[in-house]
Amino acid sequence: MEEILELYYADNARKLHNMVDTVLRRLGFYCIGNIEDFYSLANEVFADVIVKYDEGRDFDAFLHTCLSNRFKTEMTARNRQKRLADKMAVSIYTSVNDDDNSTLGDIIPDSFSIEKEIFEKREEVLNERILLYLNRLSNLQREVLRLNASGYLPNEIKEKLHITEKQYSDCNAAIHSYKNVSVLF
């Protein structure tokens, strides 16, 4: 056993590091973030392999197989963590409550508002692009836009214009759609 230890840990564990590099390249994981994590993991695997090793096997092949299996497990765990973060992501269009059509995006503070850009800066903003944008909207959509800019709440707009939740939602979607807003850029 001492011969194996000396062989793998001589010259700052060069032989073990070379084997780790080879295994990672074969698995296609070599371009991953921190190679030092895998060198540390290899030390753990090496300690387990030394205990489990019997003289009837080729030590290099046994270590290589154990490293390969452990690295695959590690990458699976890391990818699982990434997927878990993706599953926990929430869209800004998620409804806040069932009573009105408020979304998370509606309650996130932001200094930019398309409504204010159009209606509060009439003199400077009513240029060719703004007119083109407004012409893309229906009369109802323009009225919803004007009331939003004036500070009315969604429920007040729906009541004032005598429209349904669906109509309001459709107007709001059209007002903020990339297709319509893109002429402003």
Side-chain angles (χ1 to χ4, degrees), residues 10-76:
D11 195 20
N12 218 8
R14 179 176 302 280
K15 183 167 181 160
L16 182 62
H17 288 186
N18 287 341
M19 185 174 284
V20 168
D21 294 342
T22 301
V23 170
L24 290 175
R25 255 193 306 280
R26 284 193 179 144
L27 294 175
F29 300 152
Y30 197 76
C31 294
I32 51 180
N34 192 355
I35 193 74
E36 293 298 323
D37 290 347
F38 286 93
Y39 290 154
S40 296
L41 195 57
N43 286 324
E44 293 174 23
V45 172
F46 187 87
D48 288 341
V49 167
I50 283 287
V51 172
K52 295 176 185 174
Y53 175 67
D54 64 17
E55 301 291 328
R57 303 185 209 180
D58 177 32
F59 184 82
D60 290 343
F62 184 53
L63 178 61
H64 187 278
T65 301
C66 291
L67 286 173
S68 179
N69 291 337
R70 184 61 178 97
F71 291 170
K72 287 176 191 175
T73 303
E74 177 67 19
M75 289 310 296
T76 300

Side-chain angles (χ1 to χ4, degrees), residues 70-115:
R70 184 61 178 97
F71 291 170
K72 287 176 191 175
T73 303
E74 177 67 19
M75 289 310 296
T76 300
R78 288 182 181 199
N79 289 333
R80 185 176 296 122
Q81 285 298 107
K82 291 177 190 175
R83 286 190 304 273
L84 180 63
D86 289 345
K87 287 180 183 177
M88 293 180 356
V90 177
S91 169
I92 63 170
Y93 298 109
T94 302
S95 291
V96 176
N97 58 35
D98 296 333
D99 298 341
D100 62 6
N101 199 27
S102 298
T103 64
L104 288 175
D106 294 335
I107 62 173
I108 295 174
D110 186 8
S111 61
F112 178 78
S113 165
I114 192 136
E115 293 86 355

